[in-house]
Amino acid sequence: MEIRYRPEELTRLPRSVRYEPGRVIMIDQTLLPREFKEIELRTVDEVAEAIITMKVRGAPAIGAAVAFGLAIYADTTKAKTKDEFMEGFERAYERLKNTRPTAVNLFWALNRVKGLVEEHLEDPLDEIKRLIVAEAQKIADEDVEANLRMGHYGADVLPEGNVLTHCNAGSLATVQLGTVGAVLRVMHRDGTLKLLWVDETRPVLQGARLSAWEYHYDGIPLKLISDNMAGFVMQQGKVDAIIVGADRIVANGDFANKIGTYSLAVLAKEHRIPFFTVAPLSTIDMSLKSGKEIPIEERKPEEVLTCGGCKIAPDVDVYNPAFDVTPHKYLTGIITDRGVVWPPFERNLKKLFKKE
Ligand code: MRU
């Protein structure tokens, strides 16, 4: 695979989450598409709340946000001794850990920073603080590089034509470019993406509010459809490939992604449409054997009972799983930052991690 474009040739969007000493700056995704606004967060609690309320969302963006949350702690703590510092660090770690359960990047990023701290416990306190901030920054920088690689790997294997995507796995869902977003952007530059179909993605509308906004912003030709139109569009022969993100891919290739992904996968099989997921290695959880073990977040009923702040249903009981699990048998391939993984996924994912 040859890297043909740098990030600045693929998007006009800034990083969706970044760090300056003592503060995290992020695009408030709850305001889009009405308003593009960056907000500043100065405490661990504010970062945790921003994740819970989905001001920042998308697996890799959440990973970077929690790492920066720990950086805020390191840069602002008043702890004088190492013991005091470590007590506060554990509290910050726990607070950030208990925000959203499904995207494994959150736990991966927290554990990566924590592991580094544990390796350097004998170092002077100021050095430990410096290491935390540097590691968080590295996690964010590596995310952009990983997306760039996935973008090129993906564009090399996707067929030319119309692509359908679900939810938002674009620049906003990562530090920059996106996972799916990078593939679409490279295809667009290559001239192989004719049209992007964007599912609106009820109940939180990440497709309509975020994907339609960011891809339109970068000049990618798209059509927005409501979720229940996807099957008909496939039946009409208007979709050549489907690509979606992932919140957690497990050892056998099953993966969790935004609710509605599974239905698309089944429809894709019926219509013989290639169906890919795109995710960096930080989204792959080799500790779980099958998708049945992935914890699925359930969110509040209001998300289903309302739309754009308006009540659309009576106060009845609601079931609101935020994600579903797609069995690996529906997957054509997994596009990662180390290359494309083809079936049999269990064997080939294992091989991918052995290469590390
Ligand atoms: O609930 P969200 O908006 O955080 O869900 C996001 C998704 O399901 C994305 O597809 C996934 O995180 C991949 S983002 C590159």
Side-chain angles (χ1 to χ4, degrees):
M1 178 274 290
E2 174 216 348
I3 299 279
R4 301 182 282 283
Y5 312 105
R6 295 306 305 163
E8 54 281 10
E9 296 175 271
L10 293 172
T11 187
R12 296 192 298 134
L13 282 166
R15 289 190 174 200
S16 54
V17 50
R18 58 198 165 84
Y19 189 73
E20 284 178 13
R23 60 200 179 124
V24 180
I25 297 156
M26 60 172 69
I27 300 169
D28 183 343
Q29 301 189 33
T30 58
L31 301 177
L32 285 168
R34 293 183 307 283
E35 187 185 356
F36 176 91
K37 188 177 166 196
E38 289 189 323
I39 51 171
E40 281 187 20
L41 311 176
R42 292 175 181 272
T43 66
V44 170
D45 270 344
E46 283 175 5
V47 175
E49 277 307 307
I51 295 168
I52 292 168
T53 54
M54 293 172 79
K55 289 189 164 87
V56 60
R57 34 67 50 202
I62 293 171
V66 291
F68 286 149
L70 293 178
I72 290 188
Y73 171 71
D75 269 343
T76 60
T77 178
K78 302 232 166 7
K80 294 211 168 48
T81 66
K82 219 181 271 179
D83 281 351
E84 261 182 74
F85 177 84
M86 284 311 293
E87 266 173 43
F89 181 85
E90 283 297 334
R91 271 198 305 277
Y93 173 95
E94 286 299 322
R95 175 76 174 103
L96 293 163
K97 190 174 136 197
N98 291 307
T99 46
R100 297 193 70 190
T102 304
V104 77
N105 306 59
L106 183 153
F107 310 98
W108 170 87
L110 285 174
N111 290 334
R112 180 164 151 178
V113 177
K114 190 179 184 186
L116 187 77
V117 170
E118 284 165 358
E119 270 172 40
H120 288 267
L121 277 180
E122 301 308 316
D123 290 8
L125 188 49
D126 280 348
E127 174 59 7
I128 297 176
K129 290 180 186 172
R130 192 194 65 76
L131 283 170
I132 292 173
V133 176
E135 192 66 7
Q137 189 55 55
K138 210 165 146 203
I139 286 172
D141 293 343
E142 284 174 10
D143 187 56
V144 182
E145 281 303 314
N147 291 338
L148 193 65
R149 286 198 297 277
M150 283 183 280
H152 287 83
Y153 278 123
D156 286 350
V157 296
L158 255 81
E160 182 168 343
N162 299 348
V163 175
L164 184 143
T165 194
H166 188 65
C167 191
N168 174 265
S171 201
L172 293 163
T174 63
V175 176
Q176 199 181 30
L177 291 179
T179 54
V180 166
V183 177
L184 296 172
R185 287 178 162 94
V186 173
M187 287 179 76
H188 180 54
R189 283 297 306 247
D190 282 348
T192 56
L193 177 62
K194 286 209 182 101
L195 178 74
L196 176 65
W197 292 104
V198 178
D199 273 1
E200 67 175 350
T201 319
R202 271 285 285 159
V204 182
L205 300 172
Q206 290 93 331
R209 293 189 303 108
L210 307 176
S211 288
W213 180 82
E214 75 159 80
Y215 297 130
H216 179 65
Y217 185 83
D218 272 341
I220 293 176
L222 65 87
K223 278 193 198 279
L224 178 65
I225 51 173
S226 64
D227 299 326
N228 49 3
M229 295 173 189
F232 187 52
V233 174
M234 290 184 215
Q235 193 188 44
Q236 290 179 314
K238 293 179 176 168
V239 180
D240 300 297
I242 299 178
I243 43 172
V244 295
D247 286 82
R248 195 184 297 225
I249 299 171
V250 301
N252 69 351
D254 294 354
F255 73 106
N257 190 50
K258 180 53 54 194
I259 192 76
T261 301
Y262 168 62
S263 324
L264 287 178
V266 176
L267 281 163
K269 198 173 181 80
E270 170 68 20
H271 295 97
R272 297 194 170 80
I273 296 168
F275 183 88
F276 289 92
T277 185
V278 194
L281 259 58
S282 52
T283 303
I284 304 176
D285 180 357
M286 294 297 279
S287 75
L288 302 187
K289 286 195 181 66
S290 103
K292 292 198 181 79
E293 296 168 59
I294 302 175
I296 298 294
E297 175 183 12
E298 275 184 46
R299 294 185 61 86
K300 47 185 198 263
E302 285 71 36
E303 289 181 352
V304 177
L305 294 171
T306 63
C307 188
C310 287
K311 198 82 190 294
I312 56 161
D315 284 321
V316 290
D317 278 350
V318 165
Y319 176 45
N320 184 16
F323 302 96
D324 58 26
V325 174
T326 299
H328 62 271
K329 70 172 181 181
Y330 293 106
L331 262 177
T332 306
I334 303 173
I335 299 162
T336 78
D337 46 321
R338 292 276 176 79
V340 183
V341 183
W342 304 103
F345 293 113
E346 194 160 344
R347 198 174 74 200
N348 291 338
L349 281 170
K350 220 182 260 165
K351 268 199 210 157
L352 188 77
F353 278 88
K354 274 209 191 106
K355 275 196 231 158
E356 275 206 291

